[in-house]
């Protein structure tokens, strides 16, 4: 089954404790991206990657890092999480110029 | 400001009626638009897309209309069903050939049985 898999689905952490949210896709898509979703703001792009070892900032990249060492994986790293990063996060993948397929989401709470 | 927005944040329709969800965009260079449906607790799910060289595209029970003159996008759902209740997002790509999607804030559609 074609899918985008994120882990964990839920995470509660404390301010400053580094964390990684993993994302994996099995569709051999070139393009992957991370979004955060906040009430009243819709989905906003954090980072994207057009291929292996190619990443770039989206609209709200501050406080986040990503890496793309393999085509299928695109982890999101929060080196020092803060409460304003409490949000619902989505990973997405697509072929170039095609529709994005989204994961099920990761609900992160930073206390 | 946002380049993609919605005229109505909520929409309630009777089961069996047609639904129309509207979206405005401001980037005239955008050439690809997508409608997504998001049910509670799930990720956005692709419904239908349209490229800027078209003004209408039909799927199963859904139609997307694109009016480039006024930078307006709409999603029409025929014979709305309870399972259509969800939040609907329009999105536009910001960079040609890439998928840097910019989303609107969403419209919550509620279908009344």
């Amino acid at each position: 089954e074609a899918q985008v898999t994120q882990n964990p689905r839920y995470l509660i952490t404390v301010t400053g404790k580094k964390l990684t949210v993993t994302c994996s896709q099995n569709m051999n898509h070139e393009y992957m991206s991370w979004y955060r979703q906040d009430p009243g703001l819709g989905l906003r792009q954090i980072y994207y990657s057009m291929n292996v070892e190619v990443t770039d900032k989206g609209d709200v990249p501050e406080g986040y890092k990503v890496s793309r060492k393999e085509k299928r994986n695109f982890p999101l790293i929060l080196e020092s999480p803060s409460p304003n990063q409490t949000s619902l996060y989505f990973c997405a993948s697509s072929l170039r110029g095609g529709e994005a397929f989204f994961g099920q989401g990761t609900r992160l709470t930073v206390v | 400001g946002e380049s993609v927005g919605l005229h109505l944040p909520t929409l309630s329709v009777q089961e069996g009626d047609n639904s129309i969800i509207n979206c405005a965009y401001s980037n005239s260079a955008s050439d690809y638009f997508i409608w997504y449906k998001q049910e509670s607790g799930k990720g956005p799910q692709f419904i239908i897309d349209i490229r800027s060289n078209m003004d209408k595209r039909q799927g199963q029970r859904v139609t997307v209309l694109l009016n480039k003159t006024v930078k307006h996008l709409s999603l029409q759902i025929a014979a709305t069903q309870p399972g259509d209740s969800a939040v609907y997002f329009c999105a536009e790509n910001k960079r040609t050939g890439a998928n840097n999607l910019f989303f609107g804030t969403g419209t919550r559609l509620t279908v009344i049985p």
Side-chain angles (χ1 to χ4, degrees):
Chain A
E1 180 188 354
Q3 59 185 6
V4 178
T5 304
Q6 296 178 225
N7 279 297
R9 292 289 311 277
Y10 303 91
L11 180 60
I12 301 174
T13 191
V14 296
T15 299
K17 184 177 181 182
K18 181 179 178 181
L19 67 91
T20 299
V21 184
T22 64
C23 175
S24 180
Q25 51 96 2
N26 63 0
M27 295 169 278
N28 201 35
H29 285 165
E30 303 160 324
Y31 194 94
M32 298 185 75
S33 55
W34 277 102
Y35 294 84
R36 61 178 287 174
Q37 185 175 25
D38 302 289
L41 296 176
L43 290 99
R44 294 178 293 167
Q45 191 178 56
I46 302 171
Y47 267 95
Y48 65 96
S49 169
M50 296 183 75
N51 217 321
V52 175
E53 302 292 1
V54 180
T55 63
D56 209 344
K57 296 177 180 179
D59 298 308
V60 288
E62 294 76 22
Y64 304 95
K65 286 174 57 178
V66 293
S67 69
R68 188 90 182 274
K69 293 183 170 55
E70 306 165 280
K71 198 171 188 179
R72 63 182 292 127
N73 296 323
F74 190 45
L76 178 69
I77 303 154
L78 284 73
E79 294 272 4
S80 183
S82 61
N84 64 12
Q85 292 179 296
T86 292
S87 188
L88 179 59
Y89 292 86
F90 288 100
C91 178
S93 75
S94 65
L95 292 171
R96 187 167 183 166
E99 77 269 19
F101 294 83
F102 284 82
Q104 290 290 77
T106 296
R107 187 168 291 282
L108 172 66
T109 302
V110 183
V111 298
Chain B
E2 285 187 52
S3 70
V4 176
L6 294 168
H7 296 303
L8 295 172
T10 62
L11 178 65
S12 295
V13 298
Q14 288 290 139
E15 181 178 357
D17 287 352
N18 297 334
S19 304
I20 300 176
I21 302 172
N22 296 304
C23 181
Y25 65 95
S26 61
N27 186 354
S28 57
S30 294
D31 62 2
Y32 182 54
F33 304 87
I34 310 175
W35 280 100
Y36 284 94
K37 173 186 180 183
Q38 187 177 25
E39 296 173 285
S40 181
K42 297 183 179 180
Q45 184 180 15
F46 171 84
I47 301 173
I48 192 168
D49 59 1
I50 189 167
R51 299 200 180 271
S52 59
N53 60 353
M54 303 171 69
D55 52 23
K56 180 179 180 179
R57 190 161 189 227
Q58 288 185 291
Q60 189 177 16
R61 283 201 306 118
V62 294
T63 301
V64 55
L65 299 176
L66 176 62
N67 185 331
K68 294 182 287 293
T69 302
V70 295
K71 297 203 263 310
H72 184 267
L73 194 67
S74 69
L75 176 71
Q76 300 178 358
I77 305 173
T80 315
Q81 302 169 359
D84 294 327
S85 293
V87 177
Y88 289 81
F89 294 94
C90 64
E92 61 177 309
N93 74 324
K94 296 184 295 181
R95 297 181 182 84
T96 300
N99 276 19
N100 296 67
L101 297 178
F102 188 77
F103 285 80
T105 54
T107 292
R108 180 173 297 281
L109 174 66
T110 300
V111 181
I112 303 165

